[in-house]
Amino acid sequence: MTLLNDRELVRPSPRRVALLACAALALAACTGESPKNGSGGEPGPVGPPGQPPAGGGVPATSAKYIDSSIVSASVPEDGKPVIEVRLVNESGQPVTGLPAGSIYFVLARLEAGVNAQSSSWQAVTRRTEEFPGSPAPEPASAVTGTGPTNQGTTEPATRGRWVEGAAGNGVYTYTFAQSLKGVSDIPYDAALVHRVGLEIQLRPPGATGYIPANNAVFTWTPSTGGPVESGREIVDNDTCNACHDQLAFHGGARFDLQYCAMCHEPYSFDAQTGNTIDLKVMIHKIHRDKLPTGPYGIFGDNNFFYDYTDIKFTQDQRNCDTCHEESDTDTPQASNWRLTVNREACGSCHNDVNFDTGAGHGGVAATDDQCGSCHGPTSSFGLRADDVHFDPLLRAGEKFRYEVLNVADSAPGQRPTVTIRVTDPTNNNAPYDITAAGGPFQVGNASLRVEVAFSTRPDFTNTGSGSATATSGTPAQPISIDFRVNGVPDPAYPGAFKATAAVAIPAGATGSGSALLEGRPNVTIDGVLTAVPVVASGKAFAITDAAPVPYRSVVDIDKCNDCHKQLSLHGENRSGNAELCATCHNPNATDINRRVAGSNCETVTGTLDDQTIDFKVMVHAIHAGELAGYTVCGYRNTGYDFSDVRYPGRLNNCEGCHLPDTYYPPDSTVALATTLDAAPASSADRSTPLGDIATTPATAVCSTCHSSQAAFNHMTSISAGGSVTAVKDASSRTPSTPPEGCSTCHGPGKDADVKAVHGVAEFQFN
């Protein structure tokens, strides 16, 4: 199983980055056939209840969503906490009749860290997991534990006393069976912070899944009774769900990190492997690619083994700030990753270190209270956590900023002249001399180019760019200007350089175009000359338009970077700009030039038939993994098979990547069809779209996830009008093919509105 690592799309890299998704924990995603609505995310604050209907409240089984909150908690003399719970439905109406068998509670206390150890939750509701357990765990080779272990667990409300208020106002009380004073090794201390949390597992009649509900938590100090801040808020739900869209575990009833941390604490272990299930250790190990001493795994429900060996993080594993967001006011302790350094947290990734003997640690043995002397926030050894935990490529890239300042002579038949500037934001935006011998753009394999693409509407086609002849080259590529070779100072702009394209804007071009600056400076990192990714920048220019019309915006690069930190492809050349990608990855482009007999491309893909590299198809297909079975050929005729990619989020969450409402079926009378064969036998000319065999626009996109024969039959039916054998004319359209009718059913407000069917609005963190 592989998660997408962008820097490996073009070339295999020894710099494998560690992992991002808990996909092996069976995070639900929509299948190729039935996009499922998201469920169970953390709701916002509970508002005032709506007016109850006659009879008082709404039956729990009729709710589409149950929004829970814990209003108060108290500890009577017997030590059995009494909590007040409030339940409302999606409309704010009180929920009545929730049976005790459908709600579960967890009780924990927060222990302060001593001797530089981390503070930690300790579950008071807990159980003993038997060893080896029943049924017998498989595979037996993974069973490395030695005996029964302790685990935090839930207390079903059937054990205690679950009472619904008589007024039908959605208020319930629960009295725990577990006493805070009844655990010999957890002495009760009313001055410590405690937390209670709940989960709801209610299935309506005939349903297979639970009614979506949140995990309410209430954090308080029994000695005072009122709610308090825990003092241990490290990572927030919105941070995790920026990649995962909607984390859901244990059958779809547990979603909230505050709730997860109550059971996944340092005193809980998996009996079958002996591995800790402490949240901070478990999550680090899952997200760490290739742990030095071997894989991490645990046995879960029904003794099923979850093996995280092949999960890959989608960015450099040293980017601690991706999850630990110190700017997030909801996580005031996010800085603990660099302030509270100890063996438990650090050893979760550096698990080849023996802190007792110093093996793997330069021979230096260390206790928790000694870690800070080298790695703590006041250390002067250059080994502070934040000194060494960062992506050195991105850090180096912060010294470069690209700008396209001007595009001149861009009318049809003219050779455009583009002016650019590269500056250093860390040095008062001082401009670089890109032609300086020994400078970052004149050493190693540095590059600096402007890609001139046209037209911006409805999509780039680049017809007439000269990137291909009838029998050679790659079709539909932009006009490329090499500034490393041809750049000269432009006196009109201080610190800027200009260069003129060798190819003219075609005589038949209309509308507007885009000029995008890309490239990789080379700098020395740890004594090695290294290519560095820099965010691309661009500028729209007019061809025949009265004023430049920019390229359409349908995806949010910040959403891409939530998972990828900074998208960087093609050997660090092309970074952080989706429009730049689209200049080459347009509807007319295929990988035909990489389909070479006897190459690795043919071995991996099994065919010499070309494959579309249209961005909208390629990105959907890569993230759909095995649903799409997408293979493509790239640099040095290397084949790439993305069928084993597992997307860490939910495929049905269109706004996980898209800007709002930009994912409806395209109008096939305007949008361009996607070329499948750039040189069919009937035309055999890859330099022009004329005669290309193509897939109609909506069918091209939707079929990447909806990949079954039934879906294909639906898309290509007479009513839908899709085709995979359409023939393009010189304008890149398919005039002989009837328009697709997808919007009739799947457009905004229609019976099968894409947004509604995919449940996009139900994802809280979009």
Side-chain angles (χ1 to χ4, degrees):
M1 178 170 59
T2 305
L3 287 182
L4 181 59
N5 175 352
D6 302 295
R7 290 177 181 143
E8 294 177 356
L9 292 185
V10 176
R11 55 175 172 78
S13 170
R15 198 173 61 85
R16 298 288 298 187
V17 291
L19 117 92
L20 185 148
C22 301
L25 282 178
L27 299 184
C30 82
T31 67
E33 291 315 290
S34 304
K36 295 180 176 62
N37 291 343
S39 60
E42 180 189 15
V46 177
Q51 183 65 35
V58 177
T61 53
S62 69
K64 294 180 181 178
Y65 184 90
I66 299 177
D67 192 347
S68 65
S69 59
I70 299 175
V71 179
S72 66
S74 61
V75 182
E77 187 61 31
D78 63 3
K80 297 179 179 180
V82 178
I83 67 170
E84 184 175 304
V85 178
R86 182 168 179 258
L87 305 177
V88 297
N89 71 357
E90 67 283 353
S91 300
Q93 298 171 301
V95 167
T96 63
L98 184 76
S102 296
I103 190 165
Y104 300 77
F105 295 90
V106 179
L107 184 62
R109 73 171 193 178
L110 185 65
E111 296 183 331
V114 296
N115 297 324
Q117 294 177 336
S118 303
S119 61
S120 61
W121 292 102
Q122 184 173 17
V124 178
T125 49
R126 57 184 186 172
R127 68 175 185 136
T128 297
E129 185 182 44
E130 297 301 325
F131 177 83
S134 179
E138 294 288 345
S141 60
V143 180
T144 54
T146 58
T149 61
N150 174 79
Q151 285 186 355
T153 192
T154 59
E155 177 176 295
T158 52
R159 281 192 56 200
R161 187 165 181 264
W162 175 245
V163 179
E164 182 174 2
N169 60 358
V171 176
Y172 302 72
T173 59
Y174 180 65
T175 304
F176 273 85
Q178 175 65 57
S179 172
L180 285 169
K181 300 179 179 181
V183 184
S184 60
D185 60 339
I186 311 179
Y188 176 57
D189 185 342
L192 292 180
V193 171
H194 286 65
R195 176 176 285 172
V196 61
L198 64 80
E199 65 185 76
I200 296 172
Q201 301 180 14
L202 179 64
R203 288 187 175 92
T208 58
Y210 301 136
I211 293 174
N214 67 306
N215 301 130
V217 299
F218 184 81
T219 307
W220 89 108
T221 304
S223 60
T224 60
V228 298
E229 297 292 337
S230 75
R232 185 168 177 79
E233 300 304 329
I234 310 293
V235 177
D236 200 10
N237 291 336
D238 58 359
T239 304
C240 296
N241 286 312
C243 289
H244 294 291
D245 291 328
Q246 196 166 76
L247 281 169
F249 300 100
H250 298 277
R254 300 171 190 173
F255 319 94
D256 189 285
L257 281 176
Q258 290 184 315
Y259 185 65
C260 297
M262 297 172 69
C263 286
H264 287 275
E265 34 90 312
Y267 301 94
S268 291
F269 296 85
D270 171 36
Q272 283 65 44
T273 63
N275 288 332
T276 180
I277 58 171
D278 180 16
L279 195 65
K280 64 178 175 293
V281 176
M282 177 175 158
I283 296 302
H284 283 135
K285 286 183 179 290
I286 290 174
H287 288 71
R288 172 75 153 92
D289 176 30
K290 306 298 183 186
L291 283 159
T293 61
Y296 174 79
I298 56 175
F299 284 86
D301 184 56
N302 210 34
N303 267 335
F304 181 83
F305 184 61
Y306 293 92
D307 183 355
Y308 303 104
T309 305
D310 293 331
I311 294 181
K312 305 290 185 296
F313 196 31
T314 53
Q315 55 181 274
D316 194 295
Q317 66 197 36
R318 293 167 292 185
N319 290 329
C320 301
D321 59 355
T322 294
C323 299
H324 299 277
E325 290 188 312
E326 297 184 39
S327 61
D328 188 345
T329 57
D330 292 332
T331 54
Q333 287 77 48
S335 58
N336 278 18
W337 72 272
R338 60 181 179 84
L339 300 180
T340 306
V341 292
N342 53 52
R343 302 186 303 174
E344 189 175 38
C346 299
S348 59
C349 285
H350 301 284
N351 73 334
D352 55 344
V353 174
N354 186 321
F355 293 101
D356 293 325
T357 67
H361 196 231
V364 179
T367 56
D368 287 321
D369 57 352
Q370 294 172 327
C371 295
S373 61
C374 290
H375 306 291
T378 61
S379 169
S380 59
F381 288 95
L383 296 174
R384 296 199 321 250
D386 50 333
D387 281 337
V388 294
H389 289 85
F390 61 89
D391 185 337
L393 295 186
L394 299 189
R395 180 72 59 89
E398 292 172 359
K399 294 181 177 295
F400 298 88
R401 178 172 179 259
Y402 290 167
E403 297 176 274
V404 176
L405 302 175
N406 188 53
V407 181
D409 300 327
S410 59
Q414 292 182 321
R415 292 190 296 131
T417 295
V418 181
T419 300
I420 68 164
R421 183 164 51 206
V422 182
T423 57
D424 182 355
T426 68
N427 185 26
N428 297 315
N429 288 312
Y432 286 94
D433 180 354
I434 64 172
T435 64
F441 294 100
Q442 294 295 327
V443 295
N445 65 350
S447 67
L448 193 65
R449 294 176 176 271
V450 165
E451 307 298 345
V452 178
F454 48 92
S455 296
T456 57
R457 292 291 192 276
D459 212 327
F460 297 125
T461 64
N462 301 327
T463 302
S465 68
S467 66
T469 68
T471 58
S472 66
T474 301
Q477 299 303 285
I479 297 169
S480 188
I481 306 174
D482 188 344
F483 271 78
R484 182 183 183 186
V485 175
N486 300 307
V488 297
D490 186 341
Y493 299 90
F497 292 81
K498 63 181 179 179
T500 300
V503 178
I505 299 291
T510 60
S512 297
S514 288
L516 290 116
L517 177 59
E518 65 171 38
R520 55 187 181 208
N522 273 210
V523 301
T524 300
I525 300 177
D526 295 331
V528 178
L529 195 62
T530 305
V532 172
V534 179
V535 175
S537 178
K539 186 179 186 67
F541 62 89
I543 299 176
T544 59
D545 287 331
V549 177
Y551 186 70
R552 58 192 173 88
S553 295
V554 296
V555 296
D556 184 346
I557 193 65
D558 289 337
K559 292 184 177 183
C560 301
N561 289 333
D562 280 337
C563 289
H564 298 292
K565 196 66 171 184
Q566 181 178 300
L567 276 173
S568 187
L569 307 169
H570 299 276
E572 322 302 350
N573 252 335
R574 294 152 197 171
S575 302
N577 189 305
E579 183 180 353
L580 171 65
C581 300
T583 62
C584 294
H585 293 274
N586 61 67
N588 286 349
T590 76
D591 64 355
I592 189 171
N593 199 39
R594 303 298 183 187
R595 298 280 169 166
V596 177
S599 67
N600 174 264
C601 165
E602 184 180 25
T603 301
V604 171
T605 66
T607 178
L608 291 178
D609 289 337
D610 49 331
Q611 168 71 276
T612 179
I613 57 170
D614 184 5
F615 199 50
K616 63 179 177 289
V617 175
M618 185 177 190
V619 172
H620 283 109
I622 289 173
H623 288 75
E626 63 185 356
L627 295 178
Y630 184 75
T631 62
V632 69
C633 297
Y635 183 63
R636 293 182 177 173
N637 307 327
T638 301
Y640 295 90
D641 183 352
F642 297 102
S643 60
D644 66 344
V645 170
R646 298 292 181 272
Y647 181 52
R650 306 289 184 92
L651 287 177
N652 54 311
N653 182 19
C654 305
E655 288 184 23
C657 299
H658 278 269
L659 295 168
D661 301 329
T662 61
Y663 40 84
Y664 282 103
D667 181 351
S668 66
T669 65
V670 176
L672 305 184
T674 294
T675 292
L676 298 178
D677 188 346
S682 58
S683 67
D685 186 350
R686 67 177 75 174
S687 68
T688 172
L690 179 64
D692 287 0
I693 306 301
T695 299
T696 46
T699 300
V701 175
C702 297
S703 62
T704 55
C705 290
H706 301 282
S707 55
S708 72
Q709 185 63 47
F712 175 80
N713 292 342
H714 169 73
M715 293 178 207
T716 57
S717 65
I718 294 176
S719 58
S723 174
V724 295
T725 58
V727 180
K728 286 187 173 182
D729 62 14
S731 70
S732 304
R733 292 182 173 82
T734 55
S736 62
T737 302
E740 290 176 306
C742 306
S743 292
T744 303
C745 295
H746 300 294
K750 303 300 183 180
D751 291 343
D753 182 321
V754 166
K755 186 172 187 174
V757 170
H758 285 76
V760 174
E762 297 178 27
F763 289 95
Q764 179 191 356
F765 299 105
N766 282 338

